[in-house]
Amino acid sequence: MSETPAFQTSTSASRRVKGAEEVLQEIRSDLLECKVCFERFSSDQNGRRPRNLPCGHVICLACVCALAHPVLRQLECPFCRRLCDIGGTYDCQALLDLQDLVASAGIPSCSANRVPGSGPSCSGHPCPEGMGPQASAESPGLLVQMHLRAAFGGWGTLINPTGVAVLEPSMASVVVVHGGHEKVNIFNSQGHYLHSFGCYGHNRDQLCHVLDVAVSTSGHIVVTDAGDSSVKVFTSSGLPLATIIGPFELPWGVDINNCGHILVTDAQAGKLWQIKVDFGQNVVSTKMVVLQDLQCPRAVVSCKVSGCVAVLEHMEVQRRHNGGSAATRLKLFSQDFVLLTLVDSSGLSQMSSMKLNISYVTFDRHGNVIVADSQQGTVWSLGDLETTTVMTALVQDGLVRPVGLVATEQNSLIVLDSGDHTVKIYSTSAENSNCAKTIKSI
């Protein structure tokens, strides 16, 4: 008789525990060991801490030092051979959190402190009730008093997710890219799994290391693939339409503006590209660099109201001096890519009395800027950056490591949480907030 999968309900308690132990063993062997030296990752500052390379691959700190040139302080990624600087590596916090969870749990599951049915959680927080602070008055466009309405995904369904997008209107589907067997997962608006595509490989219908995703108004799915330095376009069913080479060094963030043009950040080259595509004819008409001299730009988002473009920079110089924690800077440009204003993480930290590390940015339906803080596990509204920055806490509990945001036309907030591998949907309505709906996708 075949064994019951770890995430499938079983009538036998022994079979259920055995399956969970097998999953933990897979986590330890597949995710928690360096694939260069095959030693287990550690949390020691000078040991085998998991380190992200700029290309997206992860090896331990000891191997980073061993592979690096003693004078140039540079190394080639052992997997994709991309050249990088030691100072450009940084801690893989998702694996550190996962390692701490596995080490401290000592049991197959930690159901008391996770969203039911969502797989192992790194948060250690119980399922929240009525998330977000109380607001004295609801300003137009500001998402205040956010409540958890639903959560779906979980370990197994999603593995180290990196990007999320939705197909408007009515949030018809939610698209998530992650590190699983098939890199693109599509869910309906209730969080039920629909289908997936994009197995590992370098063919036009395959994906290597996907970092971000965007969806056009016509339903086309656009992803950035750092594994082969390309941007790929698919239909909603996963049929490959176009592979755009750039040339990119490290394509990272992606969005589609009001004109239907694709915006792509190149984190290695410090550039923002604009790509004009005829989705109907599957033809790329023009590719051009619209911004350069950016410092490790990652997230990019276009405002559907004003056409403004926000770019999130990770300051490499600051990262070298603070032991791996990146200082971030948010730049706001006009639709014609003229710099309007900028704000950095240190300035926001002074305003909020908290050390903020912006991991993602988006706009709400009125054009206000919303940011996620991956270190604190919070989401903030910054208001209209062109006038005055006003910080409003939207979500302060229940998130582990938010890495993606989407603000919908229905005034809902979709948060991609890589800490517990879930998608969490918040709304301003208190309806059903006392018992958030959790969906286990299989």
Side-chain angles (χ1 to χ4, degrees), residues 6 23 40 43 56 63 73 119 147 172 213 234 245 250 256 290 292 326 328 346 351 360 373 387 426 435:
V23 171
R40 186 70 56 84
S43 57
C63 286
R73 307 290 288 172
H147 301 276
V213 60
F234 299 86
I245 302 301
L250 181 56
I256 300 174
V290 292
Q292 52 188 351
T328 53
S346 61
M351 294 177 60
Y360 204 80
D373 179 2
T387 55
Y426 295 84
C435 184

Side-chain angles (χ1 to χ4, degrees), residues 49-236:
R49 294 177 69 85
R51 300 285 288 183
N52 278 316
L53 304 184
C55 58
H57 291 110
V58 181
I59 63 177
C60 71
L61 177 60
C63 286
V64 170
C65 297
L67 295 174
H69 190 281
V71 178
L72 300 178
R73 307 290 288 172
Q74 292 180 329
L75 71 149
E76 280 189 349
C77 172
F79 307 108
C80 66
R81 299 302 178 186
R82 187 183 300 278
L83 187 66
C84 68
D85 189 89
I86 286 185
T89 69
Y90 56 98
D91 282 348
C92 182
Q93 191 62 44
L95 289 185
L96 287 171
D97 292 341
L98 178 61
Q99 184 179 27
D100 291 342
L101 173 69
V102 173
S104 62
I107 54 177
S109 65
C110 47
S111 58
N113 288 327
R114 66 178 174 90
V115 178
S118 64
S121 168
C122 303
S123 64
H125 297 300
C127 187
E129 295 185 6
M131 305 184 106
Q134 298 294 325
S136 57
E138 184 172 349
S139 302
L142 288 180
L143 301 174
V144 297
Q145 198 175 353
M146 303 298 291
H147 301 276
L148 181 62
R149 181 164 59 86
F152 59 89
W155 176 260
T157 302
L158 297 175
I159 300 176
N160 299 327
T162 55
V164 62
V166 300
L167 176 60
E168 298 280 13
S170 302
M171 202 177 75
S173 59
V174 180
V175 184
V176 183
V177 293
H178 68 126
H181 175 65
E182 292 184 305
K183 309 300 182 184
V184 182
N185 278 15
I186 301 178
F187 306 85
N188 66 11
S189 58
Q190 286 75 45
H192 295 290
Y193 171 82
L194 297 178
H195 65 94
S196 56
F197 62 87
C199 294
Y200 180 83
H202 293 274
N203 295 332
R204 61 193 301 264
D205 61 337
Q206 296 175 318
L207 295 166
C208 298
H209 187 76
V210 183
L211 293 178
D212 202 5
V213 60
V215 180
S216 70
T217 55
S218 57
H220 292 86
I221 297 174
V222 183
V223 300
T224 50
D225 191 344
D228 59 6
S229 302
S230 67
V231 175
K232 295 182 178 180
V233 182
F234 299 86
T235 65
S236 58

Side-chain angles (χ1 to χ4, degrees), residues 357-404:
N357 180 26
I358 303 175
S359 54
Y360 204 80
V361 58
T362 190
F363 293 94
D364 70 11
R365 61 181 182 177
H366 293 274
N368 297 308
V369 176
I370 299 175
V371 297
D373 179 2
S374 59
Q375 289 189 344
Q376 302 293 335
T378 56
V379 178
W380 298 79
S381 171
L382 304 184
D384 185 354
L385 288 185
E386 292 188 67
T387 55
T388 303
T389 302
V390 179
M391 294 188 64
T392 304
L394 306 181
V395 181
Q396 291 186 294
D397 297 297
L399 295 174
V400 185
R401 190 172 177 81
V403 296

